[in-house]
Amino acid sequence: MKQEIHFVTGKGGVGKSVVAAALALKKSQEGKKVLLVELGDQSFYKDFFGLAQVGYQPVQLRPQLSIALWTGEQCLQEYARHLIKVETLAKLFFENAIMRAFINVAPGLPELAILGKVTSGPRKHGPPLPFDCLVVDAFATGHFIALMEAPKGMAQAVQFGPMGEQSRSIDACLRNEELSRYHIVSLAEELPLKESLELSERLNQEFGVHPELIMNKIIQVPVAAAELNEAAKENSDVGRFASYLYTQKTHQEEILNKIPPRMGKVQKLPLILEDQPWALVEKLAGMLS
């Protein structure tokens, strides 16, 4: 079985982390051994799920579902240890002040290290990653493009040798839609949708991939607009509530109509009022197709 890689991105505040958790849970319920990966040095899920700790090494959340938090430096250190084999030498390499400074300022190196680890399974290169499916709660839209461009940039800068070869291999894996899939989470609001459509266009033009758009927190109003408009004329709390719903429903439909047909697959997830994190994630997982 080929390892699936799912990248979930979107503008900050649209709920991409919760959607990523729901997608990971859904995949695990399908029988796959899933790793939910956070990027960066702070964990959203630690507080969201009330976990004791989320770190570099995967910890099990549920049957078939584990979680990890990866930084570029940690990914690079693990890869170096895998190649160098001798722990003392690896330690000497990374505890050197010059090398640490180089890692921190080298353009795209942390992003390249992260993507090297994410794609290590399909490429069969690097430390073993024993999961059928990786769901990456990736950076928000702007930083996500920088993440995607890192292998291509490194391959152009270093055209020969192992670094160039591995960069081209990572880039090819990202462009292979049988291995890597992309999910852009948005809200039915102007700015998030604009950013999402721009990101989708760039991913399509620069990488030849076709992201899925997930419209999150859609307010479902099971009443026709005409009925709401009529009820809104009443001078009462019901009338004011009907007016609010009519405005929301109309605005939401205007935004959804701006999604171009070329976008391809679009999913709509409803606004769910739920204060229990796992209950919310389970409900969303049940609605994802």
Side-chain angles (χ1 to χ4, degrees):
M1 179 187 294
K2 287 182 183 174
Q3 188 180 70
E4 294 176 19
I5 303 169
H6 294 262
F7 293 95
V8 182
T9 181
K11 183 176 168 59
V14 299
K16 73 176 178 57
S17 296
V18 176
V19 172
L23 179 61
L25 179 63
K26 176 181 174 60
K27 293 291 176 183
S28 72
Q29 290 170 340
E30 292 172 356
K32 295 183 172 68
K33 190 176 180 185
V34 180
L35 179 62
L36 174 61
V37 179
E38 288 187 273
L39 303 183
D41 51 15
Q42 290 193 331
S43 172
F44 163 80
Y45 298 114
K46 177 177 177 292
D47 293 333
F48 185 66
F49 288 129
L51 304 172
Q53 195 59 263
V54 177
Y56 188 71
Q57 297 303 330
V59 293
Q60 188 168 345
L61 274 179
R62 290 208 161 183
Q64 298 287 95
L65 176 58
S66 298
I67 186 170
L69 173 68
W70 294 348
T71 67
E73 185 176 338
Q74 287 171 314
C75 293
L76 194 59
Q77 286 196 24
E78 184 190 39
Y79 183 61
R81 286 189 171 90
H82 176 74
L83 291 181
I84 297 174
K85 308 291 183 192
V86 180
E87 177 67 20
T88 313
L89 286 178
K91 218 171 157 183
L92 191 64
F93 183 78
F94 282 99
E95 290 185 356
N96 182 301
I98 296 174
M99 281 311 301
R100 290 185 69 84
F102 172 72
I103 291 167
N104 288 331
V105 301
L109 189 56
E111 286 82 2
L112 184 68
I114 287 170
L115 289 177
K117 183 165 178 63
V118 168
T119 60
S120 62
R123 295 186 304 112
K124 297 182 172 48
H125 186 84
L129 199 54
F131 293 92
D132 306 317
C133 174
L134 266 62
V135 176
V136 183
D137 178 18
F139 300 127
T141 47
H143 196 174
F144 185 70
I145 278 291
L147 179 76
M148 290 288 290
E149 288 177 336
K152 183 176 66 175
M154 190 63 77
Q156 288 171 346
V158 186
Q159 299 195 0
F160 303 100
M163 179 72 90
E165 183 185 329
Q166 291 307 317
S167 298
R168 282 187 289 279
S169 168
I170 294 168
D171 186 54
C173 191
L174 297 177
R175 294 167 189 268
N176 184 340
E177 291 190 279
E178 289 187 7
L179 300 174
S180 302
R181 296 163 199 179
Y182 301 87
H183 312 267
I184 304 175
V185 182
S186 181
L187 298 176
E189 296 174 7
E190 292 280 355
L191 277 179
L193 182 62
K194 183 172 182 287
E195 274 197 28
S196 299
L197 295 179
E198 287 174 354
L199 174 62
S200 173
E201 198 71 22
R202 286 193 67 178
L203 289 174
N204 182 247
Q205 289 181 357
E206 294 178 26
F207 296 90
V209 297
H210 303 81
E212 169 194 27
L213 181 63
I214 300 178
M215 298 302 295
N216 195 23
K217 300 183 183 178
I218 296 295
I219 299 173
Q220 294 182 329
V221 184
V223 182
E227 289 181 64
L228 282 176
N229 197 25
E230 188 61 31
K233 295 174 184 171
E234 291 183 23
N235 185 19
S236 65
D237 288 342
V238 172
R240 284 184 279 278
F241 183 58
S243 175
Y244 168 79
L245 287 180
Y246 176 78
T247 302
Q248 291 297 317
K249 184 181 172 74
T250 305
H251 177 67
Q252 190 170 265
E253 286 174 358
E254 286 173 358
I255 297 290
L256 293 174
N257 286 336
K258 292 182 179 179
I259 301 172
R262 66 176 181 279
M263 186 62 222
K265 185 177 179 184
V266 179
Q267 290 201 66
K268 296 173 188 171
L269 294 178
L271 173 66
I272 297 175
L273 301 177
E274 174 59 69
D275 61 0
Q276 296 300 314
W278 274 116
L280 173 61
V281 170
E282 285 170 355
K283 286 177 182 175
L284 290 175
M287 295 170 183
L288 285 169
S289 62

